[in-house]
Amino acid sequence: MYVERYGAGPDSYFGLHGWGGDRRTFAPLAPHTPAHATFYSADLPGCGHSPAPTEWSVPAIVNEIIAAVADTGATRITLVGNCGGGVFGLFAAQRAPELIARVVMLDPFAYLPRYFKLFVSDGFGRRAYDATFANAFGRWLTNQALRGRRADETDLTASFDAIDHEAARRYLKLFAEMGAVEQFSELTTPVTLVYGAKTFGAVKRSVALLERILPHAQTFELSGAGHAPLTEATAQLCAIIFAPTEDPTARRAGERIAAPTKESEVKV
């Protein structure tokens, strides 16, 4: 897996982008990475500069994620998963708990919504995908239709301009095959859930599902943000991601709190 590095601090973080993204998803964090942190931003297999996985299966991709994390040399690392990347983070933590210290899930989908399942099938599904994401006019229309789920200046479909669309469809199929979140019910790794106040209803339902399955999870709502918190609420997000895990102001398990309003501020 191709990986870019921001910072050179002793605390390690590893970014897993979501559907339709690549390592550049986490570029907004680069100027905000604190001195104590090193952030590794990866291209998932088949995305960006990373070659396709050895096979298109969840276990194969999780194995490659764990290998890439191990290659950083970090003894304990925080996985930061955006959108669908957060679920891959849970799989990795389940498989390698000795390596993964914490999983941060940004605006996560815990299941594949029906409107995405439309694109999974061959034939009509492929044509629908191409009309929506594989041409500029379709992307513009889709972004306009999603303006209630984003900040005014955000383009939720911009990353689809230069991606491998076949790989994107394969990831959709994998998300459809991942299974229910109940499979993570015995996970004890610390988990932080972060979502935008204006995001999709499916994300909010996903957060509720994850809170039920992972009662020890911490949850933050980002005021004013939609489904692109990395660009719409960067400072708030950095305060959450890079907060020391032993920070006494961190919220208690099962207690929902508002996101900080400044980069250096974490409130109960």
Side-chain angles (χ1 to χ4, degrees):
M1 287 172 58
Y2 185 86
V3 177
E4 286 187 357
R5 175 176 176 170
Y6 314 139
D11 299 331
S12 297
Y13 302 80
F14 195 98
L16 302 172
H17 63 81
W19 181 60
D22 60 26
R23 68 193 183 283
R24 293 171 294 181
T25 295
F26 296 98
L29 300 185
H32 298 274
T33 302
H36 71 81
T38 296
F39 195 98
Y40 300 92
S41 185
D43 285 333
L44 288 173
C47 302
H49 292 331
S50 291
T54 54
E55 64 177 43
W56 284 100
S57 71
V58 172
I61 289 173
V62 172
N63 284 341
E64 292 199 34
I65 290 170
I66 293 171
V69 170
D71 284 346
T72 67
T75 55
R76 297 280 283 167
I77 204 164
T78 293
L79 290 183
V80 183
N82 187 58
C83 190
V87 181
F88 279 118
L90 293 182
F91 277 113
Q94 191 178 57
R95 187 83 60 83
E98 73 289 348
L99 183 59
I100 311 304
R102 174 184 172 220
V103 178
V104 181
M105 304 181 73
L106 309 180
D107 227 62
F109 282 100
Y111 61 92
L112 190 66
R114 283 180 295 179
Y115 44 80
F116 281 131
K117 289 181 180 178
L118 170 71
F119 305 121
V120 171
S121 65
D122 291 327
F124 175 77
R126 183 179 293 275
R127 291 192 296 273
Y129 173 93
D130 289 344
T132 306
F133 297 107
N135 73 82
F137 183 64
R139 289 192 296 272
W140 180 84
L141 282 178
T142 302
N143 191 58
Q144 293 304 305
L146 297 176
R147 57 180 174 269
R149 299 290 176 257
R150 59 177 175 83
D152 291 341
E153 68 277 8
T154 301
D155 186 345
L156 290 176
T157 61
S159 64
F160 288 87
D161 181 43
I163 65 169
D164 183 331
H165 290 288
E166 183 57 32
R169 291 189 74 251
R170 284 181 176 269
Y171 271 102
L172 271 187
K173 291 182 178 182
L174 291 182
F175 291 139
E177 299 166 0
M178 281 183 172
V181 293
E182 283 76 11
Q183 64 190 301
F184 303 114
S185 62
E186 297 184 4
L187 186 70
T188 59
T189 302
V191 175
T192 302
L193 305 171
V194 189
Y195 69 97
K198 296 170 60 178
T199 192
F200 298 100
V203 169
K204 294 181 179 180
R205 289 189 288 273
S206 293
V207 169
L209 284 171
L210 290 163
E211 287 179 315
R212 178 171 59 82
I213 297 302
L214 304 169
H216 62 285
Q218 300 179 346
T219 304
F220 295 85
E221 180 182 276
L222 299 172
S223 176
H227 189 55
L230 283 155
T231 56
E232 295 173 347
T234 310
Q236 294 180 72
L237 201 52
C238 286
I240 297 166
I241 292 173
F242 297 120
T245 55
E246 69 276 8
D247 188 338
T249 65
R251 110 199 216 301
R252 294 178 292 277
E255 180 184 3
R256 186 183 296 270
I257 64 175
T261 56
K262 297 180 181 179
E263 184 177 346
S264 60
E265 185 180 11
V266 179
K267 294 181 178 179
V268 175

